[in-house]
Amino acid sequence: MSKKHFADDFIDAINSDNTLNEASKNIVLRNLAKIKETKVNILITGATGCGKSSTINALFNANKAKVGQGVDPETMEISKYEFDNIVLFDSPGLGDGKEADLKHAKAITNKLYEKDKDGNLLIDLVLVILDGSSRDLGTSFELINQVIIPNLGDDKNRLLVAINQADMAMKGRYWNVEKNHPEPELVNFLEEKVISTKNRIYEATGVKVDPIYYAAGYKDGVSTQNPYNLSKLLVHILRHTKEEKRAVFAQDINSDKEMWKDDDRLEDYRTEIKETLLESIKNSASAGADIGESIGAALGMRTVGKVIGGVAGGIWGGVKSIFGF
Ligand SMILES: Nc1nc2c(ncn2[C@@H]2O[C@H](COP(=O)(O)OP(=O)(O)O)[C@@H](O)[C@H]2O)c(=O)[nH]1
Ligand SMILES: [Mg+2]
């Protein structure tokens, strides 16, 4: 892609910093080059119409996924969307008929076992989206409990369950359109949905998940509704991603500030996003430059953090302004 990588701005900054010793500098530059090559592979699945495409478009920096596009169950395969560092696999869940369901279950299972070129499991994270406006989530639980969890391997942390269309959970009632948030009645309803989702998965599989609810929002000819709890969703995605891979989200997340504004305020999600990205970049950049070795190196490493935090323009500058650096 043509946009400049945020790591290149850090590379420029490190290169022009003369407080760093040469040896540390070379290690950091090599690490930054590695960040550019790091891929995070996410499998997004859930029933047709739950909002996979809408969620992809809200989270990331391109309108790649067609919204409201019904799939042809006969020919449907997993669609792949490649950003600079994030790679998404979008697969329908169950509920498209017996034959299609078998095909989808098989495709998802295969993806879960796929290895990358280093022999590690390819998929870093499986995001299962439930349609919060649907009263019958039976096929979604079948997908989670019978297809995904049994084929997930030991690292159950790869699974994240999120309930979309929070605004429509009570058919649009108790959603405050003006403020773009749920009123207390709807909050209670959604919290119960979270608990019952958690219980249904735990009772069937013994696996503990921590579902969240959100709204990807929509754009149609007449009206637009911004996402709700998208920052919370990203916080959970980051928490479920290996520490050393978190940094690269900075490159691909949606640069439209409006997308990230509205949330339940239960935690300061935007501050956590900012600190998580910065921490991950600092740690990845200074990996192997032995901090314990000498005071000089330790000071050098502290400077790396400072240099990186100080970079203003480009993609990183955008991320900083969204998440309040
Ligand atoms: N009200 C509301 N509609 C949504 C939300 N997310 C998605 N939609 C709508 O639900 C429909 C299906 O969404 P889409 O993203 O295509 O679902 P997919 O089949 O899972 O990819 C579209 O009309 C979207 O505009 C949401 O959070 N709230
Ligand atoms: Mg879709």
PDB file of all heavy atoms in Angstrom, residues 46-55 66-69 90 164-168 214-219 225, ligand 1:
ATOM      1  N   GLY A  46     -19.465 -15.210  12.133  1.00  0.00           N
ATOM      2  CA  GLY A  46     -20.769 -14.949  12.735  1.00  0.00           C
ATOM      3  C   GLY A  46     -21.827 -15.036  11.656  1.00  0.00           C
ATOM      4  O   GLY A  46     -21.513 -14.936  10.461  1.00  0.00           O
ATOM      5  N   ALA A  47     -23.072 -15.213  12.063  1.00  0.00           N
ATOM      6  CA  ALA A  47     -24.167 -15.415  11.122  1.00  0.00           C
ATOM      7  C   ALA A  47     -24.235 -14.286  10.092  1.00  0.00           C
ATOM      8  O   ALA A  47     -23.896 -13.137  10.393  1.00  0.00           O
ATOM      9  CB  ALA A  47     -25.491 -15.490  11.888  1.00  0.00           C
ATOM     10  N   THR A  48     -24.654 -14.622   8.887  1.00  0.00           N
ATOM     11  CA  THR A  48     -24.849 -13.614   7.855  1.00  0.00           C
ATOM     12  C   THR A  48     -25.791 -12.527   8.379  1.00  0.00           C
ATOM     13  O   THR A  48     -26.837 -12.831   8.939  1.00  0.00           O
ATOM     14  CB  THR A  48     -25.458 -14.275   6.598  1.00  0.00           C
ATOM     15  OG1 THR A  48     -24.521 -15.252   6.126  1.00  0.00           O
ATOM     16  CG2 THR A  48     -25.713 -13.259   5.503  1.00  0.00           C
ATOM     17  N   GLY A  49     -25.364 -11.275   8.246  1.00  0.00           N
ATOM     18  CA  GLY A  49     -26.183 -10.154   8.701  1.00  0.00           C
ATOM     19  C   GLY A  49     -25.893  -9.683  10.120  1.00  0.00           C
ATOM     20  O   GLY A  49     -26.456  -8.686  10.575  1.00  0.00           O
ATOM     21  N   CYS A  50     -24.985 -10.351  10.822  1.00  0.00           N
ATOM     22  CA  CYS A  50     -24.692  -9.943  12.214  1.00  0.00           C
ATOM     23  C   CYS A  50     -23.884  -8.647  12.247  1.00  0.00           C
ATOM     24  O   CYS A  50     -23.880  -7.941  13.262  1.00  0.00           O
ATOM     25  CB  CYS A  50     -23.948 -11.046  12.969  1.00  0.00           C
ATOM     26  SG  CYS A  50     -22.263 -11.329  12.392  1.00  0.00           S
ATOM     27  N   GLY A  51     -23.207  -8.343  11.146  1.00  0.00           N
ATOM     28  CA  GLY A  51     -22.451  -7.096  11.083  1.00  0.00           C
ATOM     29  C   GLY A  51     -20.945  -7.267  10.967  1.00  0.00           C
ATOM     30  O   GLY A  51     -20.184  -6.397  11.380  1.00  0.00           O
ATOM     31  N   LYS A  52     -20.498  -8.348  10.350  1.00  0.00           N
ATOM     32  CA  LYS A  52     -19.058  -8.553  10.170  1.00  0.00           C
ATOM     33  C   LYS A  52     -18.459  -7.450   9.288  1.00  0.00           C
ATOM     34  O   LYS A  52     -17.473  -6.828   9.655  1.00  0.00           O
ATOM     35  CB  LYS A  52     -18.780  -9.931   9.535  1.00  0.00           C
ATOM     36  CG  LYS A  52     -19.184 -11.106  10.416  1.00  0.00           C
ATOM     37  CD  LYS A  52     -18.892 -12.443   9.752  1.00  0.00           C
ATOM     38  CE  LYS A  52     -19.730 -12.710   8.510  1.00  0.00           C
ATOM     39  NZ  LYS A  52     -21.188 -12.766   8.756  1.00  0.00           N
ATOM     40  N   SER A  53     -19.085  -7.242   8.127  1.00  0.00           N
ATOM     41  CA  SER A  53     -18.543  -6.229   7.209  1.00  0.00           C
ATOM     42  C   SER A  53     -18.556  -4.846   7.864  1.00  0.00           C
ATOM     43  O   SER A  53     -17.587  -4.088   7.758  1.00  0.00           O
ATOM     44  CB  SER A  53     -19.363  -6.178   5.922  1.00  0.00           C
ATOM     45  OG  SER A  53     -19.349  -7.429   5.276  1.00  0.00           O
ATOM     46  N   SER A  54     -19.650  -4.529   8.537  1.00  0.00           N
ATOM     47  CA  SER A  54     -19.759  -3.214   9.182  1.00  0.00           C
ATOM     48  C   SER A  54     -18.686  -3.039  10.246  1.00  0.00           C
ATOM     49  O   SER A  54     -18.122  -1.953  10.404  1.00  0.00           O
ATOM     50  CB  SER A  54     -21.136  -3.055   9.841  1.00  0.00           C
ATOM     51  OG  SER A  54     -22.156  -3.334   8.914  1.00  0.00           O
ATOM     52  N   THR A  55     -18.398  -4.095  10.962  1.00  0.00           N
ATOM     53  CA  THR A  55     -17.387  -4.035  12.024  1.00  0.00           C
ATOM     54  C   THR A  55     -15.990  -3.836  11.427  1.00  0.00           C
ATOM     55  O   THR A  55     -15.209  -3.017  11.918  1.00  0.00           O
ATOM     56  CB  THR A  55     -17.423  -5.332  12.859  1.00  0.00           C
ATOM     57  OG1 THR A  55     -18.742  -5.473  13.402  1.00  0.00           O
ATOM     58  CG2 THR A  55     -16.415  -5.305  13.988  1.00  0.00           C
ATOM     59  N   LYS A  66     -18.008  -5.052   1.759  1.00  0.00           N
ATOM     60  CA  LYS A  66     -19.320  -4.602   1.316  1.00  0.00           C
ATOM     61  C   LYS A  66     -20.369  -4.943   2.374  1.00  0.00           C
ATOM     62  O   LYS A  66     -20.512  -6.091   2.777  1.00  0.00           O
ATOM     63  CB  LYS A  66     -19.690  -5.267   0.002  1.00  0.00           C
ATOM     64  CG  LYS A  66     -18.930  -4.733  -1.178  1.00  0.00           C
ATOM     65  CD  LYS A  66     -19.792  -4.761  -2.458  1.00  0.00           C
ATOM     66  CE  LYS A  66     -19.141  -3.984  -3.586  1.00  0.00           C
ATOM     67  NZ  LYS A  66     -18.156  -4.792  -4.336  1.00  0.00           N
ATOM     68  N   VAL A  67     -21.095  -3.911   2.794  1.00  0.00           N
ATOM     69  CA  VAL A  67     -22.122  -4.097   3.828  1.00  0.00           C
ATOM     70  C   VAL A  67     -23.427  -4.549   3.189  1.00  0.00           C
ATOM     71  O   VAL A  67     -23.790  -4.104   2.102  1.00  0.00           O
ATOM     72  CB  VAL A  67     -22.326  -2.779   4.609  1.00  0.00           C
ATOM     73  CG1 VAL A  67     -23.558  -2.846   5.482  1.00  0.00           C
ATOM     74  CG2 VAL A  67     -21.095  -2.461   5.424  1.00  0.00           C
ATOM     75  N   GLY A  68     -24.120  -5.436   3.891  1.00  0.00           N
ATOM     76  CA  GLY A  68     -25.447  -5.849   3.455  1.00  0.00           C
ATOM     77  C   GLY A  68     -25.433  -6.705   2.205  1.00  0.00           C
ATOM     78  O   GLY A  68     -26.433  -6.866   1.525  1.00  0.00           O
ATOM     79  N   GLN A  69     -24.257  -7.253   1.929  1.00  0.00           N
ATOM     80  CA  GLN A  69     -24.126  -8.103   0.757  1.00  0.00           C
ATOM     81  C   GLN A  69     -24.436  -9.544   1.173  1.00  0.00           C
ATOM     82  O   GLN A  69     -23.642 -10.133   1.899  1.00  0.00           O
ATOM     83  CB  GLN A  69     -22.691  -7.997   0.230  1.00  0.00           C
ATOM     84  CG  GLN A  69     -22.509  -8.526  -1.145  1.00  0.00           C
ATOM     85  CD  GLN A  69     -22.703  -7.415  -2.172  1.00  0.00           C
ATOM     86  OE1 GLN A  69     -23.484  -6.498  -1.976  1.00  0.00           O
ATOM     87  NE2 GLN A  69     -21.995  -7.513  -3.279  1.00  0.00           N
ATOM     88  N   ASP A  90     -12.845 -13.267   6.631  1.00  0.00           N
ATOM     89  CA  ASP A  90     -14.250 -13.035   6.948  1.00  0.00           C
ATOM     90  C   ASP A  90     -15.023 -14.273   6.488  1.00  0.00           C
ATOM     91  O   ASP A  90     -15.096 -14.563   5.307  1.00  0.00           O
ATOM     92  CB  ASP A  90     -14.687 -11.762   6.201  1.00  0.00           C
ATOM     93  CG  ASP A  90     -16.175 -11.489   6.265  1.00  0.00           C
ATOM     94  OD1 ASP A  90     -16.960 -12.412   6.582  1.00  0.00           O
ATOM     95  OD2 ASP A  90     -16.571 -10.341   5.973  1.00  0.00           O
ATOM     96  N   ASN A 164     -22.957  -7.549  18.645  1.00  0.00           N
ATOM     97  CA  ASN A 164     -23.131  -6.323  17.846  1.00  0.00           C
ATOM     98  C   ASN A 164     -24.601  -5.888  17.816  1.00  0.00           C
ATOM     99  O   ASN A 164     -25.484  -6.585  18.311  1.00  0.00           O
ATOM    100  CB  ASN A 164     -22.619  -6.577  16.422  1.00  0.00           C
ATOM    101  CG  ASN A 164     -22.656  -5.315  15.559  1.00  0.00           C
ATOM    102  OD1 ASN A 164     -22.512  -4.198  16.050  1.00  0.00           O
ATOM    103  ND2 ASN A 164     -22.848  -5.494  14.257  1.00  0.00           N
ATOM    104  N   GLN A 165     -24.830  -4.731  17.218  1.00  0.00           N
ATOM    105  CA  GLN A 165     -26.176  -4.159  17.053  1.00  0.00           C
ATOM    106  C   GLN A 165     -26.848  -3.957  18.403  1.00  0.00           C
ATOM    107  O   GLN A 165     -28.045  -4.212  18.575  1.00  0.00           O
ATOM    108  CB  GLN A 165     -27.028  -5.034  16.125  1.00  0.00           C
ATOM    109  CG  GLN A 165     -26.300  -5.348  14.814  1.00  0.00           C
ATOM    110  CD  GLN A 165     -27.224  -5.562  13.625  1.00  0.00           C
ATOM    111  OE1 GLN A 165     -28.353  -5.091  13.617  1.00  0.00           O
ATOM    112  NE2 GLN A 165     -26.742  -6.241  12.608  1.00  0.00           N
ATOM    113  N   ALA A 166     -26.050  -3.495  19.375  1.00  0.00           N
ATOM    114  CA  ALA A 166     -26.569  -3.202  20.712  1.00  0.00           C
ATOM    115  C   ALA A 166     -27.772  -2.249  20.624  1.00  0.00           C
ATOM    116  O   ALA A 166     -28.718  -2.356  21.414  1.00  0.00           O
ATOM    117  CB  ALA A 166     -25.476  -2.566  21.561  1.00  0.00           C
ATOM    118  N   ASP A 167     -27.725  -1.363  19.647  1.00  0.00           N
ATOM    119  CA  ASP A 167     -28.823  -0.383  19.506  1.00  0.00           C
ATOM    120  C   ASP A 167     -30.159  -1.050  19.189  1.00  0.00           C
ATOM    121  O   ASP A 167     -31.222  -0.517  19.503  1.00  0.00           O
ATOM    122  CB  ASP A 167     -28.473   0.649  18.423  1.00  0.00           C
ATOM    123  CG  ASP A 167     -28.126   0.013  17.080  1.00  0.00           C
ATOM    124  OD1 ASP A 167     -27.438  -1.037  17.067  1.00  0.00           O
ATOM    125  OD2 ASP A 167     -28.533   0.558  16.030  1.00  0.00           O
ATOM    126  N   MET A 168     -30.119  -2.216  18.557  1.00  0.00           N
ATOM    127  CA  MET A 168     -31.352  -2.880  18.113  1.00  0.00           C
ATOM    128  C   MET A 168     -31.769  -4.050  19.013  1.00  0.00           C
ATOM    129  O   MET A 168     -32.706  -4.775  18.704  1.00  0.00           O
ATOM    130  CB  MET A 168     -31.177  -3.398  16.677  1.00  0.00           C
ATOM    131  CG  MET A 168     -30.977  -2.300  15.646  1.00  0.00           C
ATOM    132  SD  MET A 168     -32.249  -1.028  15.719  1.00  0.00           S
ATOM    133  CE  MET A 168     -33.623  -1.944  15.007  1.00  0.00           C
ATOM    134  N   TYR A 214     -21.509  -4.002  21.642  1.00  0.00           N
ATOM    135  CA  TYR A 214     -21.146  -2.775  20.924  1.00  0.00           C
ATOM    136  C   TYR A 214     -22.102  -2.588  19.760  1.00  0.00           C
ATOM    137  O   TYR A 214     -22.974  -3.447  19.516  1.00  0.00           O
ATOM    138  CB  TYR A 214     -19.690  -2.874  20.423  1.00  0.00           C
ATOM    139  CG  TYR A 214     -19.504  -3.818  19.247  1.00  0.00           C
ATOM    140  CD1 TYR A 214     -19.314  -3.333  17.947  1.00  0.00           C
ATOM    141  CD2 TYR A 214     -19.565  -5.210  19.429  1.00  0.00           C
ATOM    142  CE1 TYR A 214     -19.170  -4.197  16.866  1.00  0.00           C
ATOM    143  CE2 TYR A 214     -19.422  -6.074  18.352  1.00  0.00           C
ATOM    144  CZ  TYR A 214     -19.225  -5.559  17.072  1.00  0.00           C
ATOM    145  OH  TYR A 214     -19.104  -6.414  16.013  1.00  0.00           O
ATOM    146  N   ALA A 215     -21.965  -1.491  19.055  1.00  0.00           N
ATOM    147  CA  ALA A 215     -22.692  -1.299  17.797  1.00  0.00           C
ATOM    148  C   ALA A 215     -21.701  -0.817  16.754  1.00  0.00           C
ATOM    149  O   ALA A 215     -20.982   0.162  16.989  1.00  0.00           O
ATOM    150  CB  ALA A 215     -23.817  -0.278  17.973  1.00  0.00           C
ATOM    151  N   ALA A 216     -21.644  -1.514  15.637  1.00  0.00           N
ATOM    152  CA  ALA A 216     -20.741  -1.103  14.555  1.00  0.00           C
ATOM    153  C   ALA A 216     -21.269   0.145  13.862  1.00  0.00           C
ATOM    154  O   ALA A 216     -20.534   0.853  13.187  1.00  0.00           O
ATOM    155  CB  ALA A 216     -20.577  -2.233  13.546  1.00  0.00           C
ATOM    156  N   GLY A 217     -22.565   0.412  14.064  1.00  0.00           N
ATOM    157  CA  GLY A 217     -23.182   1.570  13.425  1.00  0.00           C
ATOM    158  C   GLY A 217     -23.534   1.282  11.980  1.00  0.00           C
ATOM    159  O   GLY A 217     -23.328   0.171  11.491  1.00  0.00           O
ATOM    160  N   TYR A 218     -24.061   2.277  11.301  1.00  0.00           N
ATOM    161  CA  TYR A 218     -24.416   2.072   9.900  1.00  0.00           C
ATOM    162  C   TYR A 218     -24.437   3.384   9.139  1.00  0.00           C
ATOM    163  O   TYR A 218     -24.512   4.463   9.718  1.00  0.00           O
ATOM    164  CB  TYR A 218     -25.772   1.372   9.787  1.00  0.00           C
ATOM    165  CG  TYR A 218     -26.895   2.129  10.473  1.00  0.00           C
ATOM    166  CD1 TYR A 218     -27.548   3.180   9.819  1.00  0.00           C
ATOM    167  CD2 TYR A 218     -27.279   1.800  11.761  1.00  0.00           C
ATOM    168  CE1 TYR A 218     -28.563   3.876  10.451  1.00  0.00           C
ATOM    169  CE2 TYR A 218     -28.279   2.492  12.404  1.00  0.00           C
ATOM    170  CZ  TYR A 218     -28.928   3.539  11.737  1.00  0.00           C
ATOM    171  OH  TYR A 218     -29.907   4.244  12.372  1.00  0.00           O
ATOM    172  N   LYS A 219     -24.342   3.250   7.857  1.00  0.00           N
ATOM    173  CA  LYS A 219     -24.514   4.354   6.928  1.00  0.00           C
ATOM    174  C   LYS A 219     -25.490   3.858   5.896  1.00  0.00           C
ATOM    175  O   LYS A 219     -25.229   2.865   5.236  1.00  0.00           O
ATOM    176  CB  LYS A 219     -23.189   4.655   6.222  1.00  0.00           C
ATOM    177  CG  LYS A 219     -22.422   5.814   6.795  1.00  0.00           C
ATOM    178  CD  LYS A 219     -21.184   6.068   5.938  1.00  0.00           C
ATOM    179  CE  LYS A 219     -19.974   6.149   6.815  1.00  0.00           C
ATOM    180  NZ  LYS A 219     -18.832   5.397   6.512  1.00  0.00           N
ATOM    181  N   GLN A 225     -25.219   6.357  11.708  1.00  0.00           N
ATOM    182  CA  GLN A 225     -25.059   6.231  13.155  1.00  0.00           C
ATOM    183  C   GLN A 225     -23.642   5.772  13.445  1.00  0.00           C
ATOM    184  O   GLN A 225     -23.193   4.751  12.924  1.00  0.00           O
ATOM    185  CB  GLN A 225     -26.075   5.232  13.709  1.00  0.00           C
ATOM    186  CG  GLN A 225     -26.025   5.113  15.224  1.00  0.00           C
ATOM    187  CD  GLN A 225     -27.125   4.209  15.757  1.00  0.00           C
ATOM    188  OE1 GLN A 225     -28.300   4.533  15.694  1.00  0.00           O
ATOM    189  NE2 GLN A 225     -26.732   3.048  16.261  1.00  0.00           N
TER     190      GLN A 225
HETATM  191  N1  LIG B   1     -28.710  -0.695  13.618  1.00  0.00           N
HETATM  192  C1  LIG B   1     -27.553  -1.320  13.341  1.00  0.00           C
HETATM  193  N2  LIG B   1     -27.384  -1.909  12.154  1.00  0.00           N
HETATM  194  C2  LIG B   1     -26.209  -2.544  11.912  1.00  0.00           C
HETATM  195  C3  LIG B   1     -25.155  -2.580  12.850  1.00  0.00           C
HETATM  196  N3  LIG B   1     -24.132  -3.303  12.322  1.00  0.00           N
HETATM  197  C4  LIG B   1     -24.534  -3.696  11.102  1.00  0.00           C
HETATM  198  N4  LIG B   1     -25.793  -3.248  10.831  1.00  0.00           N
HETATM  199  C5  LIG B   1     -26.583  -3.475   9.631  1.00  0.00           C
HETATM  200  O1  LIG B   1     -26.845  -4.864   9.510  1.00  0.00           O
HETATM  201  C6  LIG B   1     -26.846  -5.243   8.129  1.00  0.00           C
HETATM  202  C7  LIG B   1     -25.851  -6.390   7.893  1.00  0.00           C
HETATM  203  O2  LIG B   1     -24.556  -5.914   8.139  1.00  0.00           O
HETATM  204  P1  LIG B   1     -23.248  -6.528   7.460  1.00  0.00           P
HETATM  205  O3  LIG B   1     -22.103  -5.779   8.020  1.00  0.00           O
HETATM  206  O4  LIG B   1     -23.386  -6.589   5.995  1.00  0.00           O
HETATM  207  O5  LIG B   1     -23.292  -8.010   8.071  1.00  0.00           O
HETATM  208  P2  LIG B   1     -22.436  -9.315   7.631  1.00  0.00           P
HETATM  209  O6  LIG B   1     -23.320 -10.127   6.749  1.00  0.00           O
HETATM  210  O7  LIG B   1     -22.145 -10.025   8.907  1.00  0.00           O
HETATM  211  O8  LIG B   1     -21.204  -8.837   6.957  1.00  0.00           O
HETATM  212  C8  LIG B   1     -26.532  -3.992   7.342  1.00  0.00           C
HETATM  213  O9  LIG B   1     -27.728  -3.415   6.896  1.00  0.00           O
HETATM  214  C9  LIG B   1     -25.847  -3.106   8.370  1.00  0.00           C
HETATM  215  O10 LIG B   1     -25.998  -1.711   8.079  1.00  0.00           O
HETATM  216  C10 LIG B   1     -25.368  -1.902  14.107  1.00  0.00           C
HETATM  217  O11 LIG B   1     -24.507  -1.862  14.997  1.00  0.00           O
HETATM  218  N5  LIG B   1     -26.578  -1.302  14.287  1.00  0.00           N
END
